Amino acid sequence: MAVSFACRALDSSAKVVMQRNANPYRVEECRALGAEIVLTPDVHSAFDEVRRTEAEEGRAFIHPFEGYATALGTATVTWELHQQVADLDAVVVPIGGGGLCTGVMLATKLMLPDCLVFGVEPEGADSMHRSFAAGQPQGIDEVRTIADGLGAPRAEPYSFGLCRRFVDQLVRIDDQQIRQAMRLLCDEMKLVVEPAGAATAAALCGPLSDRLSGWRVGLIVCGSNIDPETFHRLIS
């Protein structure tokens, strides 16, 4: 959706490759922003299609999570956070492929060196956990979580290397914890978020609750791309 918006703003064209089970709301939003949509059987074939399109059509591949430019962009999120909220003890960030975490982590360590960074993955898409354990980027064969926004097929070298060096701790959450956090954010903060957006709240209320009790904590909530029907079904 962001790529579709940017291309429309620049009077360019976007071709967005998505897997067939992508949330229909996201597909239609990309189409409404002017993008051409290509659907593939799964996330692995999606990357194959992107590489074919890049080679045959001369398009630029905007990677969803890997690379210096991506990390630089996501770092601005945390720069704004630290400008608005002073003296955080910890920042909790969701991890899909690691691009968001890389930027958040680097900006935090530059601005507040003593602030800890905790990365959160769903149990059904834990490529960064597997990569940390193996000492090199690892992948998953299939995404098995409602948090499809965190369903990267594998970790990549740039994001993995920086996350391994600077993330203070990784934690996993399950889908039930995500559902509970979605409801909590809706009830208490009036935020309607997709499952990926509830990951950090799920971690704070779950595996990190004792560790961060009494701390001044910032949560990265990413994002809110969900339709009312899907949201209601998940929290019900």
Side-chain angles (χ1 to χ4, degrees):
M1 289 168 63
V3 170
S4 304
F5 176 86
C7 286
R8 186 180 69 171
L10 295 170
D11 196 25
S12 183
S13 68
K15 178 176 281 188
V16 178
V17 182
M18 310 169 86
Q19 57 193 57
R20 285 181 187 148
N21 65 348
N23 187 304
Y25 169 81
R26 298 184 189 179
V27 177
E28 291 308 314
E29 285 295 304
C30 289
R31 189 171 283 128
L33 288 166
E36 177 185 348
I37 309 300
V38 178
L39 299 177
T40 65
D42 54 49
V43 68
H44 295 285
S45 60
F47 275 89
D48 293 338
E49 176 64 19
V50 165
R51 295 186 186 97
R52 185 198 66 77
T53 301
E54 182 184 22
E56 294 181 4
E57 300 183 19
R59 290 178 177 269
F61 174 27
I62 309 302
H63 202 287
F65 58 84
E66 177 71 346
Y68 169 80
T70 301
L72 191 64
T74 59
T76 65
V77 174
T78 318
W79 182 85
E80 292 183 14
L81 172 65
H82 291 306
Q83 290 290 315
Q84 295 173 24
V85 184
D87 301 325
L88 290 175
D89 299 311
V91 174
V92 187
V93 57
I95 295 179
L100 175 62
C101 184
T102 300
V104 168
M105 167 190 66
L106 292 177
T108 296
K109 296 300 183 181
L110 284 169
M111 298 180 75
L112 289 174
D114 294 331
C115 182
L116 300 186
V117 176
F118 295 84
V120 182
E121 285 187 306
E123 292 180 350
D126 60 347
S127 58
M128 196 62 73
H129 272 86
R130 300 181 186 211
S131 300
F132 273 36
Q136 59 185 359
Q138 299 293 305
I140 55 176
D141 58 347
E142 184 180 354
V143 177
R144 300 182 177 87
T145 174
I146 61 172
D148 55 347
L150 301 180
R154 61 178 286 108
E156 297 289 353
Y158 183 84
S159 297
F160 162 71
L162 288 171
C163 285
R164 191 185 186 198
R165 181 177 177 185
F166 291 110
V167 167
D168 293 289
Q169 183 181 340
L170 292 178
V171 297
R172 292 187 185 94
I173 50 173
D174 61 36
D175 282 359
Q176 182 58 25
Q177 290 172 315
I178 292 173
R179 289 188 178 94
Q180 291 169 346
M182 290 173 67
R183 179 180 287 277
L184 175 69
L185 289 173
C186 182
D187 289 344
E188 299 295 332
M189 302 190 70
K190 309 311 174 190
L191 293 177
V192 176
V193 302
E194 65 185 274
T200 53
L204 185 63
C205 296
L208 293 176
S209 59
D210 291 336
R211 173 79 185 270
L212 301 184
S213 178
W215 289 30
R216 189 169 172 81
V217 181
L219 302 182
I220 305 298
V221 178
C222 174
S224 58
N225 299 316
I226 191 168
D227 59 278
E229 293 77 17
T230 303
F231 181 82
H232 180 266
R233 174 173 53 81
L234 290 174
I235 68 169
S236 298

